[in-house]
């Protein structure tokens, strides 16, 4: 087993739509250990959110997992019963979302919504959870008594996200999935929220998957980075390796497109556009945009191999057959 | 909130004023001939003139309008030409029966409609959904007066399971009149025989009336529930590990029912107009039948009074719905 | 010569390419319509209804109006498919001819109430402010009545007849379209191209009727289709109460009413016209539901 907390193997997910079948995930490989912080980065629509929903077991019609599996602490989620799945979500995995205000139920007070999470995690009655609610709200830096009695629309985005974090961490989950937790917030608030998350997770020792398209945030927060492109994890390595020595042509392109302070180099975008996942390119889905594309790239998707110790990449440039100079 | 209520009330007063104008216009400006209808076509001209004078119909139209509006402000809707009693008294006598029928129907339609709508949405595209959609669409397609007749034919004439027309059987002693609502009065006076008989009598008309309303409630509940089930906070609730049932009944339902409340107000309106037809078929002594009878003989004070009263009830129902809406949805409380 | 054809072809291709989104959209709508079985069934019912109305004089086996006392109250048979009524008239023939009356009512009411409503709505939405306030408050006043009750009052005051039924239902029904057209006009008024037209020097009435009004039509038409079932039900209700179309004209609602006193022994007199009403209204409601599904952008996936 590659990761003792989570192991996603060959995961394929499709969505049936009017336009056709969207091949959203094309054999995703992802793994992580306890207390690890993994950054999942990539452009919009590359399957980051779908991956996280699959990990939660929340893929629903019109979506379907057509092959592959997610193993959580060694247990296959495909084989879990409904109840086990609910229990896993309530006690071991939590999630926070991009739009905190719309992710909270508009007709329920914050206190109740947090209490609901606590009661689920600890198997106690909702009413008995209230002392804990106040503690959690205080922990995330909110005026606990007042906030508990407010409705979501009475909170600012930042406050709502704090409440979401309180909800998510109240079960002290093994894994916290944060799906772009700050992209809907003001820049100043963003930093505060990330700091809070950093602090709390360090204290409580949760593993985190941070989904973001902000390379800076990922670099600061995560130990490991997985880069996704059009439904595949194309590269996975420690944060340092990814930034210092990216291997996959897509990762390289992505890094060139990010502005760095103190660097006067011109920003370079990646040519071409994100592929249409109803009719994705054959083989490696990046090949139409790849400057190093070879014949075989359009035929078969390269497997995710360990090119260097702890550095995985899915590209023929690094397999024995394709010993090309990677530059 | 306070300002909202005040604005809403002011608007209602304005609308009711307009409603009175429309009713007055219908009866007085449109070329109907109430006196002719009252006296028959061959009445001597002197008698016609005398009658017109007696009813104030020989005054200029503005004076008539003034009299009429003043009357309304004093709660005086005139004297019915047919019953020779104040129209207000007639309304007080007939309205409780309509109200009772409407309440029964609305209970049936809300209960049935909401349940069908939720099942439809939760089991979307399953046989439950198809059944409920077809059942609903039939409900809005069949004319109320016809469904009523057919049910009467089947359950009364052929099967004999339920009693026929009217509120009570001929030999049942009616309860002492307190509220005017027969079932309520039976309970209040402990007249259980009348209660049982009244209940048997109300089933058919309430079912007929309620069925058509069920359809629209089921349809809106379904749409609204589907809409809510797509929202982010439902995903959050699922991510919390709540079971499907808790997600639907605790998290989705309250949100989904808010628009349904609005619909119930509209349904009340459709019940009032359905009552006109249903009461005619089932010989139900309510306001709907009273108005129809008044219309057929051009009993114009009764027409004006009855129509005005129905519009008032309808507006009140909508007002109550709007206020309930404000209470239900915390986003509205400002 | 050759180059000209190529050029032409190029133009044609260009023409198609430019309209591709519209064509695609139509194809899409057609696809959705086909995939919505209910809408299909509804369309078939309505087409049958219209065909029957058109060919009624050819179809009817008997005179629907004049009575024949020797053949009264006969049960359904091969001679009289739906039986005969108390005047010996063939109910099948009356139902068939009645379809013309219902279709006529639907057509005229849609035209009058749709036209009046759209006109007032566009005026209100276009001018806004004072004009809007007045028109909308009038709309509110009409909406304060349950529509059948108001139609009844109008019909009774005007005197029961086919024309007055049409007037009464139209006068009650325009409010829906006024609200719809107003909302639409307010949206369109803010579009930049309206500004551009104004800058060219077009006057209010020109902009309103040539540019804003046409854009409001499609939602109004959809709404009209949705309301056609209600129009028949209202007309039939008026007929049933004796406030609408008068006998001996074979209006379906008044035919149901005719059979009321014969319900127990001669059930067919009321039953068949009622089925006819339910059938046609069902057709319109199926189509309406289908349209609603198609129009709902959230279902467009």
């Amino acid at each position: 087993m590659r990761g003792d907390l989570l192991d996603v193997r060959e995961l394929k997910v499709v969505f049936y739509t009017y336009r056709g079948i969207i091949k959203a995930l094309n054999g995703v490989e992802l793994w992580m250990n306890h207390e690890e912080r993994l950054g999942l980065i990539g452009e919009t629509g590359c399957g980051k959110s779908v991956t996280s929903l699959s990990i939660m077991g929340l893929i629903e019609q019109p979506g379907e997992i057509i092959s592959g599996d997610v193993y959580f602490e060694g247990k296959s989620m495909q084989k879990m019963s409904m109840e086990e799945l609910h229990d896993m979500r309530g006690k071991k995995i939590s999630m926070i979302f991009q739009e905190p205000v719309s992710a909270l139920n508009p007709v329920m007070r914050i206190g109740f919504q947090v209490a609901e999470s606590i009661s689920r995690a600890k198997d106690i009655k909702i009413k008995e959870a209230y002392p804990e609610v106040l503690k959690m709200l205080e922990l995330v830096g909110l005026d606990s008594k007042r906030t508990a009695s407010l409705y979501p629309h009475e909170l600012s985005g930042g406050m709502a996200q704090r409440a979401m974090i309180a909800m998510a961490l109240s079960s002290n989950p093994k894994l916290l999935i944060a799906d772009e937790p700050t992209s809907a917030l003001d820049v100043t608030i963003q930093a505060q929220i990330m700091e809070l998350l950093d602090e709390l997770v360090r204290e409580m020792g949760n593993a985190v998957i941070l989904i973001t398209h902000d390379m800076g945030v990922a670099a600061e927060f995560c130990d490991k980075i997985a880069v996704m492109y059009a439904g595949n994890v194309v590269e996975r390595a420690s944060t340092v390796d990814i930034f210092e020595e990216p291997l996959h042509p897509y990762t390289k392109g992505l890094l060139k497109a990010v502005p760095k302070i103190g660097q006067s180099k011109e920003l370079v975008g990646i040519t071409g556009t994100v592929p249409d996942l109803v009719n994705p390119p054959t083989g490696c889905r990046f090949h139409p945009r790849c400057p190093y594309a070879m014949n075989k790239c359009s035929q078969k998707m390269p497997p995710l191999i360990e090119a260097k110790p702890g550095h995985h990449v899915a590209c023929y440039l690094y397999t024995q057959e394709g010993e090309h100079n990677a530059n | 909130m306070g300002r909202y209520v005040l604005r809403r009330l002011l608007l209602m007063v304005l609308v009711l004023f307009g409603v009175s104008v429309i009713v007055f216009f219908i009866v007085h400006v449109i070329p109907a001939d109430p006196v002719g209808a009252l006296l028959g076509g061959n009445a001597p001209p002197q008698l016609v003139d005398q009658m017109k004078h007696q009813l104030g119909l020989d005054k200029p139209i503005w004076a008539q309008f003034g009299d009429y509006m003043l009357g309304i402000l004093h709660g005086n809707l005139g004297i019915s030409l047919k019953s020779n009693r104040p129209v207000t008294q007639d309304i007080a006598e007939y309205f409780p029966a309509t109200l009772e029928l409407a309440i029964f129907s609305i209970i049936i339609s809300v209960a049935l409609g909401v349940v069908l709508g939720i099942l439809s949405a939760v089991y979307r595209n399953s046989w439950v959904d198809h059944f409920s959609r077809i059942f609903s669409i039939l409900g809005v397609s069949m004319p109320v007066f016809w469904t009523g007749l057919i049910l009467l034919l089947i359950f009364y004439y052929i099967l004999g399971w339920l009693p026929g027309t009217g509120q009570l059987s001929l030999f049942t002693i009616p309860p002492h009149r307190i509220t005017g609502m027969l079932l309520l009065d039976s309970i209040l006076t402990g007249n259980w025989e009348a209660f049982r008989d009244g209940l048997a009598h109300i089933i058919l008309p309430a079912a007929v009336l309620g069925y058509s309303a069920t359809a629209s409630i089921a349809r809106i509940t379904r749409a609204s529930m589907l809409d809510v089930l797509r929202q982010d906070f439902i995903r959050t609730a699922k991510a919390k590990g709540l079971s499907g049932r808790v997600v639907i009944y605790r998290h989705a339902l309250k949100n989904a029912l808010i628009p349904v409340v609005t619909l119930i107000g509209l349904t009340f309106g459709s019940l009032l107009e359905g009552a006109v037809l249903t009461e005619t078929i089932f010989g139900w002594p309510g306001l709907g039948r009273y108005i129809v009878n008044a219309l057929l003989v051009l009993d114009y004070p009764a027409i004006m009074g009855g129509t005005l009263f129905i519009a008032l009830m309808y507006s009140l129902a909508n007002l109550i719905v709007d206020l309930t809406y404000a209470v239900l949805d915390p986003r509205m409380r400002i | 010569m050759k180059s000209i054809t190529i050029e032409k072809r190029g133009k044609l291709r260009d023409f198609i390419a430019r309209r591709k989104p519209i064509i695609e959209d139509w194809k899409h709508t057609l696809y959705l319509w086909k995939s919505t079985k209910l809408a299909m069934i509804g369309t078939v019912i309505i087409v049958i209804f219209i065909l029957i109305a058109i060919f009624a004089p050819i179809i009817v086996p008997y005179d629907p109006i004049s009575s024949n006392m020797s053949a009264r109250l006969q049960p359904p048979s091969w001679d009289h498919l739906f039986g005969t009524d108390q005047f010996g008239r063939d109910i099948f023939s009356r139902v068939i001819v009645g379809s013309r009356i219902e279709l006529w009512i639907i057509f005229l009411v849609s035209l009058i109430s749709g036209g009046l409503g759209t006109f007032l709505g566009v005026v209100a939405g276009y001018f806004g402010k004072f004009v809007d306030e007045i028109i909308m408050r009038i709309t509110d006043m009409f909406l304060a009545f349950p529509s059948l009750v108001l139609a009844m009052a109008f019909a009774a005051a005007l005197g029961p007849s086919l024309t007055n039924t049409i007037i009464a239902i139209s006068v009650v029904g325009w409010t829906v379209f006024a609200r719809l057209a107003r909302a639409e006009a307010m949206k369109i008024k803010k579009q930049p191209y309206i500004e551009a037209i104004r800058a060219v020097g077009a006057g209010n009435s020109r902009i309103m009727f040539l540019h804003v009004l046409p854009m409001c039509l499609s939602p109004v038409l959809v709404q009209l289709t949705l309301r056609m079932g209600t129009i028949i039900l209202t007309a039939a209700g008026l007929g049933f109460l004796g406030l609408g179309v008068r006998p001996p004209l074979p209006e379906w609602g008044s035919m149901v009413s005719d059979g009321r006193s014969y319900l127990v022994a001669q059930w067919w007199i009321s039953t068949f016209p009622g089925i006819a009403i339910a059938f046609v209204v069902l057709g319109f409601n199926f189509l309406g539901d289908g349209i609603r599904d198609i129009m709902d952008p959230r279902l467009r996936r």
Side-chain angles (χ1 to χ4, degrees), chain A residues 10 33 48 68 83 85 91 114 119 129 187 197 203 231 234 284 288:
Chain A
E10 288 276 341
N33 293 315
K48 294 170 297 190
E83 262 161 49
L85 208 60
K91 296 177 179 171
V114 179
S119 88
V187 186
L197 209 54
E203 241 165 67
V234 294
C284 173

Side-chain angles (χ1 to χ4, degrees), chain A residues 17-19 62, chain C residues 28 31 300-301:
Chain A
T17 68
Y18 160 71
R19 282 201 310 130
Chain C
H28 184 179
Y31 163 86
R300 279 200 164 195
R301 295 198 283 173

Side-chain angles (χ1 to χ4, degrees), chain B residues 50-131:
Chain B
Q50 193 192 333
M51 194 74 187
K52 276 192 172 169
H53 180 72
Q54 202 180 328
L55 296 173
L57 291 177
D58 54 349
K59 290 189 195 170
I61 199 90
W62 290 113
Q64 287 184 42
F65 182 68
D67 289 351
Y68 161 75
M69 286 311 284
L70 270 174
I72 290 178
L73 285 179
H74 290 100
N76 174 11
L77 295 173
I79 309 279
S80 160
L81 302 184
K82 200 173 156 222
S83 71
N84 269 321
R85 295 194 309 176
V87 173
T88 40
Q89 201 181 325
D90 280 352
I91 291 176
E93 179 174 339
Y94 291 111
F95 182 63
T98 300
L99 188 63
E100 191 167 52
L101 186 59
I103 289 172
F104 248 77
S105 315
I106 219 160
I107 290 172
I108 292 179
S109 58
V110 168
L112 204 62
V114 167
V115 169
L116 280 178
I118 291 169
L119 288 177
S120 251
V122 173
Y123 304 102
R124 191 176 174 199
N125 290 333
S126 69
W127 66 268
V128 185
D129 186 18
H130 294 312
F131 167 79

